[in-house]
Amino acid sequence: MSVQAYAVRDEQRPPDNALLQIVQRGLGARPKRLPSWLFYDDHGSALFEQICEQPEYYLTRAEIALLTAHAGDIAEMLGPDVRLVEYGSGHAIKTRLLLQQLAAPVAWVPVELSSEPLRLSMQQMQAHFPLLPIQPLAADFTRPLRLPVPPRAPRHTVLYFPGSTIGNFEEREAAQLLRKMRGEMGDNGGILVGVDLKKDRATIEAAYNDRAGITAAFTLNMLTRLNRELGCNFELGAFRHRARYNAMAGRIETHIVSNKEQRIRVGRLQTLFREDEAMLVEYSCKYSLEEFAALATLAGLAVQQIWLDPEGLFSLQYLTR
Ligand code: AVI
């Protein structure tokens, strides 16, 4: 099973039976691993928003600084009459910074699996841009999308994928996702993607081990969710969060580690955790500019333009065919 991640929320979860199977399979794997979308129940989504405000979590700060500095240049390069399709819709500030610079956008199409966050972000955006046509799409952006018919013909379609969510996919899956996006953007279209960059270990590890313990709470919240939804018996105090940078692989690897030998109930099955056994729950991949260009090539895309934040921590990259 692959460790996939994107911000899905509570009501997006698969039916309980499917969830049970996913978790049983993950706990039966060697090493154990669970998909990171399990983080994002309502509480997990709220914790993720808090993570974005932690001083150590440079990604959000850097991406906002980047857009503050370069949204005008980006909009100029994209030109007028763009249809902006956003993968996920939870990035109101970033989207606003971009939309306010775009000349005569044809439509904004936020794509999100669950309807409630979609409704909320539509409301917020409509208040800021009363004349902007908004065409929400309730769909799983990892699957092929049927984009709504635009209100008028766009000059091109830009798929906006901010926040380094591409980093939560393993390389092969990331290439597959980009290739799927390549089909959706059409011949003249492009992809504007947020990519977190490789940097010193200390900076990266601090971002996933904030002092206030919010990321640790976010990680362990997955166990609370499984207790609630599947009747598991995880004791929160008997597990710990561990996020380490694997420099060879270029990624943060987040694990939930068992503090002792213990048996956990998952439906009718029981699984044994040994003392210090680690279960993989998330990858957050970091790229050099060259590595990301190679990934784009694998997906049949080329990097047209790169913008960096003033500290050079984070990049927004524009990919075309
Ligand atoms: C959503 N995603 C880009 C975050 C990241 O940085 O990988 C999720 C996250 N996990 C722990 N902290 C933040």
Side-chain angles (χ1 to χ4, degrees):
M1 186 177 49
S2 60
V3 175
Q4 266 201 351
Y6 49 97
V8 290
R9 289 162 212 259
D10 215 14
E11 73 239 50
Q12 300 170 214
R13 67 178 194 262
D16 285 352
N17 221 354
L19 181 67
L20 182 63
Q21 282 181 17
I22 289 167
V23 174
Q24 285 181 333
R25 212 179 324 131
L27 293 183
R30 294 291 171 270
K32 294 179 173 61
R33 57 194 297 179
L34 289 177
S36 57
W37 55 260
L38 282 170
F39 287 140
Y40 298 93
D41 62 359
D42 284 349
H43 188 52
S45 300
L47 286 169
F48 178 62
E49 279 171 30
Q50 284 186 47
I51 288 175
C52 293
E53 287 163 14
Q54 296 311 299
E56 297 93 338
Y57 195 72
Y58 61 84
L59 289 82
T60 310
R61 203 179 56 244
E63 196 173 16
I64 290 173
L66 185 159
L67 282 160
T68 305
H70 297 299
D73 316 331
I74 297 171
E76 199 176 318
M77 193 219 62
L78 296 178
D81 304 317
V82 162
R83 167 168 66 161
L84 192 70
V85 178
E86 180 165 348
Y87 271 41
S89 66
H91 315 284
I93 302 170
K94 300 174 200 171
T95 311
R96 251 190 277 149
L97 285 167
L98 186 59
L99 276 172
Q100 69 199 16
Q101 298 291 339
L102 285 180
V106 168
W108 175 56
V109 184
V111 183
E112 173 98 52
L113 247 171
S114 55
S115 42
E116 190 49 20
L118 203 52
R119 199 183 58 75
L120 283 175
S121 59
M122 263 181 70
Q123 256 181 8
Q124 282 178 359
M125 210 56 90
Q126 199 80 82
H128 280 89
F129 305 99
L131 300 178
L132 174 73
I134 300 183
Q135 299 187 297
L137 180 59
D140 176 352
F141 64 64
T142 64
R143 305 245 159 92
L145 299 178
R146 273 244 215 125
L147 295 178
V149 177
R152 62 189 169 88
R155 247 172 41 99
H156 46 227
T157 294
V158 174
L159 306 184
Y160 181 41
F161 193 24
S164 184
T165 303
I166 191 77
N168 295 131
F169 294 82
E170 289 183 66
E171 192 177 333
R172 193 176 46 82
E173 293 173 336
Q176 274 168 9
L177 179 58
L178 289 173
R179 187 167 279 284
K180 185 210 73 129
M181 294 169 81
R182 181 183 186 276
E184 285 159 5
M185 74 197 199
D187 282 341
N188 308 318
I191 300 172
L192 189 59
V193 57
V195 181
D196 192 20
L197 300 176
K198 283 190 165 161
K199 55 188 67 65
D200 63 283
R201 171 187 297 277
T203 303
I204 297 179
E205 285 195 340
Y208 294 85
N209 292 283
D210 59 278
R211 280 209 205 171
I214 310 293
T215 307
F218 170 77
T219 301
L220 294 177
N221 177 60
M222 188 187 281
L223 304 183
T224 310
R225 174 182 190 165
L226 298 182
N227 286 349
R228 185 182 66 240
E229 294 185 16
L230 297 178
C232 299
N233 58 333
F234 287 105
E235 250 181 76
L236 253 60
F239 291 89
R240 62 185 185 274
H241 155 89
R242 188 178 82 197
R244 288 193 189 140
Y245 186 55
N246 176 340
M248 282 285 285
R251 64 190 178 208
I252 280 283
E253 297 176 349
T254 299
H255 289 91
I256 292 177
V257 184
S258 179
N259 291 336
K260 60 180 187 190
E261 180 163 315
Q262 50 189 322
R263 285 186 187 280
I264 299 298
R265 187 176 62 240
V266 192
R268 292 212 213 128
L269 301 182
Q270 283 226 335
T271 189
L272 176 74
F273 277 83
R274 284 171 284 106
E275 185 173 352
D276 293 327
E277 183 173 349
M279 172 167 70
L280 177 65
V281 287
E282 187 179 54
Y283 287 143
S284 300
C285 300
K286 313 298 169 190
Y287 289 93
S288 68
L289 295 179
E290 297 73 24
E291 285 164 348
F292 198 75
L295 182 70
T297 306
L298 274 180
L301 293 160
V303 178
Q304 286 300 320
Q305 191 104 25
I306 299 170
W307 296 271
L308 301 181
D309 66 292
E311 292 179 77
L313 300 170
F314 194 91
S315 67
L316 255 188
Q317 309 203 17
Y318 190 59
L319 317 179
T320 57
R321 288 184 177 180

